[in-house]
C-alpha cells in the first residue's frame, strides 16, 4: 500500500484547439513529456467522483468556498488491477492531494456501497474517507473521461497539462467498463490548460504560456460532468 501526498499551486484556463497545438509545439522543445504522455497523443484518464446525499462537494465548489475537498477514484486503463483513491483538497489556488492505492476488487465493493472495505487496509487516508462517506452518506455521482497531454519541469515540481475531450457518465458507475455511454462536458473546440507548480513559475515558462485569448477560470471537471443534471439554476454560475 503506497500513500502519496502532493501540494501544488494550480491555475486553469480554457484554450482553443489552435492555442493547444501552438503551445504544445513550443513546450515540447523546452520541457520533457510526462513519463506516460506522448505529445499531441497523451494518455487516458478516468475518474469516478463521490459526493454526499446533499451534494456538499458540488455546492462548496459552486458557492466559491475557499476550503473544500473532492473524493475520487482514478484509473488510467480499464484493465488495471489497481485504483488510486484520492482526496483533492483545495485552499485558494493551492491543491493538496492525498492518494492511496486499492485493488480492483476493493474498488468494486466500495462502488457498490460496501465502505467497510476501506477499513481493511488500515490506511490513514482510507480511514478518513470511510468516516466521511459513512457520516455524510456519500455515493458515486459521475464518471469523467478525458485524454491528458502533459509536460514536466523538475525544478519547482512543475507540470503543464492539457486535458482534452472531456466526457461524462451519470448513469453507470462501473469505472472498469469499456461500454459507458458518455456525453461531452464542454463546447467543441475548447480544451483545458492546467499549470501546476510548488513555489514559483519561471519567467521563461510565463512567456511561453502567455495566451491572449485565454482567461483564468475556476474550472472543475466534476462540476462540468454534473452540469446537465443540475437541480437549481444557480449551479450554472
Amino acid at each position: 500500500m503506497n500513500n502519496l501526498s502532493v501540494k501544488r499551486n494550480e491555475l486553469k484556463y480554457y484554450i482553443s484547439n489552435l492555442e493547444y497545438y501552438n503551445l504544445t509545439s513550443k513546450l515540447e522543445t523546452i520541457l520533457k513529456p510526462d513519463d506516460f504522455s506522448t505529445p499531441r497523443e497523451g494518455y487516458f484518464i478516468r475518474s469516478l467522483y463521490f459526493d454526499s446525499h446533499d451534494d456538499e462537494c458540488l455546492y462548496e465548489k459552486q458557492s466559491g468556498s475557499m476550503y473544500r475537498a473532492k473524493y475520487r477514484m482514478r484509473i488510467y486503463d480499464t484493465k488495471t488491477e489497481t485504483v488510486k483513491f484520492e482526496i483533492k483538497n483545495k485552499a485558494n489556488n493551492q491543491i493538496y492531494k492525498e492518494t492511496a492505492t486499492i485493488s480492483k476488487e476493493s474498488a468494486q465493493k466500495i462502488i457498490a456501497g460496501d465502505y467497510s472495505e476501506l477499513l481493511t487496509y488500515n490506511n490513514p487516508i482510507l480511514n478518513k474517507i470511510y468516516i466521511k462517506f459513512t457520516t455524510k452518506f456519500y455515493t458515486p455521482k459521475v464518471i469523467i473521461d478525458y485524454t491528458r497531454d502533459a509536460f514536466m519541469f523538475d525544478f519547482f515540481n512543475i507540470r503543464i497539462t492539457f486535458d482534452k475531450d472531456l466526457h461524462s457518465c451519470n448513469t453507470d458507475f462501473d469505472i472498469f467498463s469499456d461500454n459507458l455511454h458518455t456525453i461531452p462536458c464542454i463546447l467543441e473546440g475548447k480544451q483545458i490548460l492546467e499549470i501546476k507548480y510548488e513555489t514559483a513559475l519561471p519567467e521563461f515558462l510565463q512567456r511561453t504560456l502567455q495566451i491572449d485569448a485565454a482567461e483564468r477560470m475556476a474550472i472543475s471537471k466534476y462540476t462540468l460532468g454534473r452540469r446537465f443534471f443540475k437541480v437549481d439554476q444557480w449551479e450554472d454560475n
Side-chain angles (χ1 to χ4, degrees):
M1 169 62 63
N2 296 320
N3 285 354
L4 177 66
S5 296
V6 177
K7 184 179 290 185
R8 284 193 183 107
N9 294 288
E10 188 173 271
L11 308 175
K12 298 183 180 183
Y13 303 83
Y14 282 123
I15 60 172
S16 68
N17 286 339
L18 181 60
E19 289 165 330
Y20 160 69
Y21 286 113
N22 181 40
L23 284 173
T24 52
S25 65
K26 293 178 181 178
L27 290 174
E28 64 185 353
T29 66
I30 58 176
L31 300 182
K32 65 178 182 179
D34 181 282
D35 293 338
F36 303 99
S37 182
T38 302
R40 296 188 180 85
E41 293 183 18
Y43 57 95
F44 172 76
I45 296 179
R46 172 173 288 173
S47 297
L48 170 59
Y49 288 87
F50 294 75
D51 208 337
S52 66
H53 68 99
D54 57 353
D55 287 332
E56 73 172 350
C57 296
L58 179 64
Y59 287 115
E60 284 178 357
K61 164 62 182 174
Q62 295 289 7
S63 62
S65 175
M66 292 177 61
Y67 303 97
R68 55 185 184 268
K70 289 197 285 285
Y71 301 81
R72 67 191 183 198
M73 290 182 182
R74 173 164 286 185
I75 62 172
Y76 304 91
D77 181 352
T78 57
K79 301 299 186 292
T80 185
E81 293 298 322
T82 58
V83 177
K84 289 184 178 181
F85 211 151
E86 186 171 81
I87 307 172
K88 184 177 182 182
N89 306 282
K90 183 167 186 179
N92 290 328
N93 292 330
Q94 193 163 77
I95 301 296
Y96 175 58
K97 294 181 182 179
E98 304 169 87
T99 305
T101 302
I102 62 174
S103 69
K104 177 179 181 177
E105 292 73 21
S106 291
Q108 290 170 326
K109 290 179 182 179
I110 294 164
I111 293 168
D114 181 7
Y115 298 149
S116 64
E117 182 70 15
L118 290 160
L119 300 178
T120 64
Y121 286 86
N122 192 28
N123 179 283
I125 294 174
L126 298 176
N127 290 346
K128 185 188 297 188
I129 294 172
Y130 171 81
I131 293 171
K132 189 70 169 180
F133 279 24
T134 55
T135 57
K136 291 291 291 183
F137 305 106
Y138 270 58
T139 58
K141 295 289 185 173
V142 65
I143 285 178
I144 305 291
D145 286 352
Y146 57 96
T147 300
R148 169 165 286 176
D149 200 352
F151 297 87
M152 302 172 60
F153 186 61
D154 290 336
F155 293 102
F156 308 113
N157 194 17
I158 292 171
R159 279 174 58 82
I160 310 297
T161 65
F162 300 89
D163 294 337
K164 308 179 291 180
D165 304 322
L166 269 71
H167 283 69
S168 67
C169 177
N170 292 261
T171 56
D172 185 347
F173 304 121
D174 180 3
I175 196 172
F176 305 103
S177 174
D178 289 318
N179 299 299
L180 290 181
H181 176 66
T182 62
I183 59 175
C185 290
I186 59 179
L187 295 175
E188 184 178 357
K190 291 288 185 181
Q191 315 298 350
I192 297 173
L193 164 65
E194 297 187 3
I195 305 169
K196 308 168 187 181
Y197 61 95
E198 280 189 358
T199 55
L201 195 63
E203 185 177 348
F204 81 93
L205 275 179
Q206 293 184 41
R207 292 196 303 267
T208 302
L209 294 168
Q210 193 69 38
I211 309 169
D212 293 337
E215 293 184 6
R216 182 178 151 204
M217 301 186 70
I219 301 168
S220 164
K221 297 182 186 71
Y222 172 56
T223 304
L224 287 170
R226 296 198 60 197
R227 65 191 293 188
F228 300 112
F229 297 85
K230 64 184 185 302
V231 295
D232 293 307
Q233 284 186 334
W234 71 276
E235 290 180 14
D236 281 333
N237 298 329

